[in-house]
Amino acid sequence: MGTIPAVTLHRKVDFALMTAIMITLLAAIVIYFTDKTFFWKHFAAEDGFIEYGTMLFLFASALLLWVHALSLWGKGRRGAALLTLFYGLLFFMAAGEEVSWGQRIFGWESGEFFQESNKQNETNLHNLVVGNVHLASTLFGSFLTTVLLLYLVVLPLCYGRVSFITRLADRFVVPVPGMRHAVLAVLSSLVIAPMDVYRNWEVYEFVFSLLAFSIFLLPQNREKVI
């Protein structure tokens, strides 16, 4: 039996990721309208399936970006490789932040700084409180959400149509989402944002982690970033 071509395998994985997103959104809708307590206490619970799934796919996205960086380095594109390495580092940090760098898994205590400055007394940055500013609801809240929606929705529409944006994305080796990613990002926002239930945004983070892995696996500008 012959081996499956890499692109074909990637498309199969991509289809599985898109399916997982649709199942997650459908499950969120059903659980929200049937049992809101179950939603936050079990479905989107801290240290539950959704949170660890988010961590897993953020970490997998970091690894995938680093594989791309090695490929770019081998092609002599050193600047592109370093940028991609940096993008991977960001996703690695996001994965660590998601589970407080394994603090609750391994049971170690936070240092004095985080005990005094972290809203949950955990070792992470997104729950830091600086003065009266909670980073999770400011920098990691509305601002980051806006940036992500611009990346997931606006960039795919502009890439290949607006020359300046196309050149900028290619120059900075930004993996461009496809239209399927844009559609699912909008759909996810429409489904999750109106949900008046605790921890609803945990589901959105999980969906984003799946989208990110799919984007890096099969970006619209694949020939430019891999």
Side-chain angles (χ1 to χ4, degrees):
M1 295 178 63
T3 58
I4 301 175
V7 174
T8 301
L9 179 59
H10 291 174
R11 286 173 179 163
K12 289 180 181 294
V13 173
D14 182 73
F15 178 78
L17 292 168
M18 299 298 100
T19 302
I21 290 172
M22 294 303 298
I23 292 174
T24 299
L25 293 177
L26 180 60
I29 293 171
V30 172
I31 295 171
Y32 174 74
F33 283 107
T34 57
D35 192 341
K36 291 183 180 179
T37 300
F38 184 88
F39 188 102
W40 65 264
K41 198 171 183 179
H42 298 286
F43 179 64
E46 187 170 61
D47 295 332
F49 167 78
I50 291 293
E51 187 167 66
Y52 282 118
T54 301
M55 181 274 293
L56 176 65
F57 279 99
L58 289 174
F59 181 65
S61 295
L63 292 179
L64 186 55
L65 286 169
W66 288 337
V67 169
H68 294 340
L70 287 174
S71 175
L72 291 167
W73 188 274
K75 294 176 181 178
R77 299 178 60 190
R78 304 299 170 85
L82 291 175
L83 272 174
T84 304
L85 186 69
F86 173 69
Y87 299 152
L89 180 60
L90 293 179
F91 274 82
F92 175 77
M93 292 181 65
E97 283 284 302
E98 185 66 22
V99 292
S100 298
W101 299 96
Q103 180 173 4
R104 295 188 302 276
I105 298 173
F106 301 107
W108 46 271
E109 294 185 2
S110 300
E112 182 179 349
F113 171 78
F114 286 101
Q115 289 185 15
E116 294 178 353
S117 305
N118 189 280
K119 186 177 181 180
Q120 296 182 342
N121 299 321
E122 294 179 344
T123 307
N124 58 54
L125 298 176
H126 67 278
N127 279 321
L128 284 180
V129 177
V130 181
N132 294 321
V133 178
H134 182 205
L135 295 186
S137 59
T138 53
L139 177 60
F140 296 107
S142 56
F143 173 75
L144 184 57
T145 300
T146 301
V147 171
L148 289 177
L149 287 176
L150 286 173
Y151 171 68
L152 290 169
V153 179
V154 177
L155 181 57
L157 292 171
C158 293
Y159 187 81
R161 297 177 179 86
V162 181
S163 57
F164 169 72
I165 292 179
T166 302
R167 290 196 303 270
L168 200 64
D170 290 342
R171 181 173 182 178
F172 286 94
V173 209
V174 176
V176 178
M179 289 308 301
R180 66 192 183 284
H181 302 120
V183 170
L184 283 175
V186 172
L187 178 62
S188 300
S189 299
L190 293 175
V191 168
I192 297 170
M195 289 183 174
D196 183 21
V197 63
Y198 181 49
R199 298 186 67 82
N200 60 323
W201 290 109
E202 297 296 327
V203 180
Y204 192 82
E205 291 174 5
F206 177 59
V207 169
F208 169 74
S209 71
L210 294 171
L211 284 173
F213 190 79
S214 172
I215 292 166
F216 303 154
L217 190 69
L218 287 173
Q220 188 179 153
N221 57 339
R222 180 180 174 85
E223 72 285 352
K224 301 288 186 178
V225 299
I226 298 177

